[in-house]
Amino acid sequence: MLEIKNLNVHYGVIHVLKDVTITVNDGEIVTLIGANGAGKTTTLRTISGLKKPTSGQILLDGIDITDTTPQERVKKGISHAPEGRRVFASMTVMENLELGAFIRRDKAGISSDIKQVFERFPVLADRRKQLAGTLSGGEQQMLAIGRALMAKPQVLFLDEPSMGLAPLLVQEIFRIIVDINKAGTTILLIEQNASMALKVAHKAYVIETGSIVLSGTGEQLMQSNEIKKAYLGG
């Protein structure tokens, strides 16, 4: 579904991504793990169109979208729940969800999908009229994921969805990620919590200082001594 070919990105003279190549097949959860500053978020921002690459290609369903705008990529099926949640604090939960569907015109479908979001995240249904900025961190993360789902994406980007959450909430967020994937949405996941990410991933990549240094199934990487030492505390 999604192919990233030899992607290079610079911030000024700093070479941030170096020939990054990633493949995401239909129906997969693919995770990208690495240390802070390795280039994970830049990868997602570039695929989403928020950062222009120096060179390389981004293909969605075989179509080159490298030079398209971020809004065009949303229309083509890419949706991004960014690092730090980035909910619209002064808007209500309902308004945030409606904004997630800004490219759509099917009112009945939008209402149905909001209902599905509330079924998946019952706490958001209880707080639908509450300002997003007054939600807890876990609730804001649920809202960020729900808002991204309102675009009806082919592939959903999740950037550090467990960041700053209590262990029980982390477990819940990953249960929801698996549930979303089983319902038919392909997922590209960035996570500091490598153990949880590898457990749910069909395929995984390790990025270090802007380069992909290792790839395999989630299970294969969990068994790697190198990965255990670097990311799994063993």
Side-chain angles (χ1 to χ4, degrees):
M1 177 179 288
L2 182 67
E3 289 183 272
I4 315 305
K5 294 183 176 181
N6 302 315
L7 200 64
N8 286 275
V9 174
H10 289 75
Y11 284 105
V13 298
I14 302 171
H15 197 173
V16 181
L17 297 184
K18 305 161 188 173
D19 290 317
V20 168
T21 296
I22 294 172
T23 301
V24 181
N25 293 318
D26 189 14
E28 287 184 330
I29 297 176
V30 175
T31 190
L32 181 63
I33 64 172
N36 281 334
K40 302 187 303 298
T41 292
T42 296
T43 300
L44 282 197
R45 287 176 57 82
T46 305
I47 303 171
S48 293
L50 301 174
K51 175 66 182 171
K52 188 173 178 60
T54 310
S55 63
Q57 273 189 310
I58 303 165
L59 305 176
L60 183 66
D61 285 335
I63 299 171
D64 191 334
I65 62 168
T66 312
D67 295 323
T68 59
T69 64
Q71 56 267 37
E72 287 172 331
R73 297 184 200 199
V74 175
K75 290 177 181 178
K76 291 179 184 296
I78 289 176
S79 193
H80 189 163
E83 181 182 14
R85 294 134 200 174
R86 304 290 181 89
V87 297
F88 294 96
S90 61
M91 298 171 66
T92 66
V93 166
M94 181 65 84
E95 288 168 338
N96 270 266
L97 293 176
E98 289 170 344
L99 192 59
F102 79 99
I103 63 166
R104 300 171 58 184
R105 296 295 179 265
D106 55 323
K107 290 185 178 181
I110 291 170
S111 296
S112 176
D113 287 343
I114 288 176
K115 183 179 178 181
Q116 286 186 25
V117 169
F118 286 156
E119 288 172 354
R120 181 168 277 131
F121 305 108
V123 68
L124 296 183
D126 295 337
R127 289 161 171 69
R128 68 184 71 196
K129 295 181 180 180
Q130 188 170 324
L131 294 181
T134 65
L135 301 176
S136 69
E139 291 163 354
Q140 287 189 13
Q141 186 60 66
M142 293 175 190
L143 179 56
I145 295 173
R147 182 182 60 191
L149 287 172
M150 287 302 301
K152 292 188 77 69
Q154 291 187 67
V155 56
L156 173 65
F157 295 170
L158 299 175
D159 193 349
E160 303 285 9
S162 76
M163 180 184 289
L165 302 184
L168 280 177
L169 272 176
V170 171
Q171 295 279 350
E172 177 65 8
I173 288 294
F174 274 90
R175 184 196 64 74
I176 290 165
I177 289 170
V178 171
D179 179 60
I180 291 169
N181 177 248
K182 286 181 177 178
T185 302
T186 303
I187 294 174
L188 178 55
L189 168 68
I190 283 179
E191 250 303 327
Q192 283 284 347
N193 190 329
S195 177
M196 291 296 294
L198 293 175
K199 282 179 183 177
V200 304
H202 299 99
K203 187 165 57 187
Y205 293 86
V206 180
I207 187 168
E208 292 181 0
T209 59
S211 298
I212 301 295
V213 296
L214 198 61
S215 65
T217 67
E219 179 64 26
Q220 286 171 341
L221 265 60
M222 285 192 74
Q223 299 306 317
S224 162
N225 289 329
E226 182 182 349
I227 297 302
K228 287 178 181 177
K229 289 179 181 178
Y231 300 104
L232 304 179

